[in-house]
Amino acid sequence: MWSGLPDQNLGDFFYPYLRSVDKSVIVYDTNTENILHTLTQHTRYVTSCAFAPNTLLFATGSMDKTVNIWQFDLETPCQARSTEDQAKQFTEDWSEDDVSMWLCAQGLSDLVGVFKMNNIDGRELLNLTKESLADDLKIESLGLRSKVLRKIEELRTKVKTLSSGIPDEFLCPITRELMKEPVIASDGYSYEKEAMENWISKKKRTSPMTNLVLPSVVLTPNRTLKMAISRWLETHQK
């Protein structure tokens, strides 16, 4: 943490450049335009970022459904680190404190005490069920239990994706599963055909990636991507 700089804004020193394709964020010095940090923790497209107004913190949001809070050292800029998942690649490695931070990030800070009392670490978190939430953790609200389970399921999906080693560009942004019939939408992104057709029929005509209105609902088969996925499968199924 910085000391003696309570009124300074991180934006006075740095500006970010989001590189959605490779899931990274590059932070530049505002005066010299030199690269100070390359943040690569996100596992899917980076879609947003924000500076804290009166504290020297920086947040990044991603299609991997996580928000990372970054803390920098002005004197040693390469020491940027995430306070959400400090250099830990998989959720199973989380300590009880990491789980507490995750709960706060999901708007579940009221449950921190309960999880602490029951010694819930990352591995325990991924093994929680609706029964254990009700019987062991004594969470009475059905709505609250459902919210916790939804968030845990998102974590399980993320862990599965990380463990599989599947290239991110082979995963449908909607289903987060390996695409079989990839198509290109008018927003320039590729999706699983059935998933995108369902999206268009049930949602507003907006892009799942940008949330902007789609200029067209025409879907074009992405044969190049389909061939690349087929080659990858052939190599990894041997």
Side-chain angles (χ1 to χ4, degrees):
M1 296 291 289
W2 289 294
S3 59
L5 298 171
D7 299 322
Q8 296 201 49
N9 188 325
L10 189 60
D12 296 336
F13 303 96
F14 306 148
Y15 70 88
Y17 172 63
L18 308 185
R19 296 174 60 181
S20 279
V21 175
D22 64 3
K23 291 88 70 178
S24 70
V25 179
I26 297 178
V27 181
Y28 293 86
D29 185 290
T30 55
N31 295 317
T32 65
E33 297 191 358
N34 292 329
I35 295 177
L36 299 177
H37 312 282
T38 300
L39 313 177
T40 59
Q41 187 182 23
H42 286 295
T43 61
R44 292 190 62 76
Y45 305 109
V46 181
T47 57
S48 60
C49 67
F51 294 115
N54 297 311
T55 58
L56 297 171
L57 296 173
F58 175 56
T60 56
S62 166
M63 286 294 291
D64 63 14
K65 299 183 180 180
T66 64
V67 174
N68 289 334
I69 310 299
W70 301 91
Q71 176 179 304
F72 299 97
D73 187 333
L74 287 175
E75 296 181 356
T76 54
C78 291
Q79 298 303 311
R81 63 186 179 89
S82 165
T83 58
E84 180 192 5
D85 187 2
Q86 299 171 1
K88 292 176 181 172
Q89 185 177 12
F90 297 110
T91 309
E92 293 102 316
D93 298 326
W94 284 2
S95 66
E96 293 177 23
D97 288 336
D98 292 319
V99 172
S100 296
M101 293 176 69
W102 174 81
L103 286 169
C104 293
Q106 308 306 315
L108 297 168
S109 56
D110 291 344
L111 296 179
V112 169
V114 174
F115 276 60
K116 282 273 193 180
M117 287 178 57
N118 288 273
N119 305 116
I120 304 297
D121 57 14
R123 190 172 296 276
E124 291 286 340
L125 178 67
L126 292 177
N127 289 325
L128 289 176
T129 64
K130 60 181 180 181
E131 290 79 14
S132 59
L133 288 174
D135 300 337
D136 300 332
L137 273 62
K138 308 298 182 184
I139 299 176
E140 297 180 358
S141 169
L142 176 60
L144 189 55
R145 292 200 303 270
S146 298
K147 181 177 180 179
V148 174
L149 287 174
R150 285 198 307 271
K151 298 298 183 180
I152 291 174
E153 186 56 37
E154 290 173 6
L155 279 179
R156 288 174 182 149
T157 301
K158 181 178 179 181
V159 170
K160 182 179 179 180
T161 300
L162 286 170
S163 302
S164 68
I166 300 175
D168 189 72
E169 58 268 25
F170 293 172
L171 299 174
C172 173
I174 299 173
T175 65
R176 300 181 68 184
E177 296 178 354
L178 188 67
M179 289 184 278
K180 298 177 181 178
E181 294 294 335
V183 294
I184 304 174
S186 58
D187 60 358
Y189 292 97
S190 291
Y191 306 90
E192 178 62 34
K193 180 180 179 182
E194 183 179 357
M196 191 57 182
E197 288 176 341
N198 288 337
W199 176 278
I200 292 172
S201 66
K202 296 178 181 179
K203 308 279 184 178
K204 295 180 180 179
R205 251 182 58 169
T206 56
S207 163
M209 293 298 293
T210 67
N211 205 34
L212 299 175
V213 176
L214 292 169
S216 168
V217 294
V218 173
L219 303 176
T220 305
N222 191 336
R223 296 185 177 87
T224 301
L225 180 56
K226 185 175 181 178
M227 290 175 62
I229 293 173
S230 296
R231 287 194 296 268
W232 184 86
L233 285 172
E234 290 173 1
T235 302
H236 288 78
Q237 289 179 348
K238 290 180 179 179

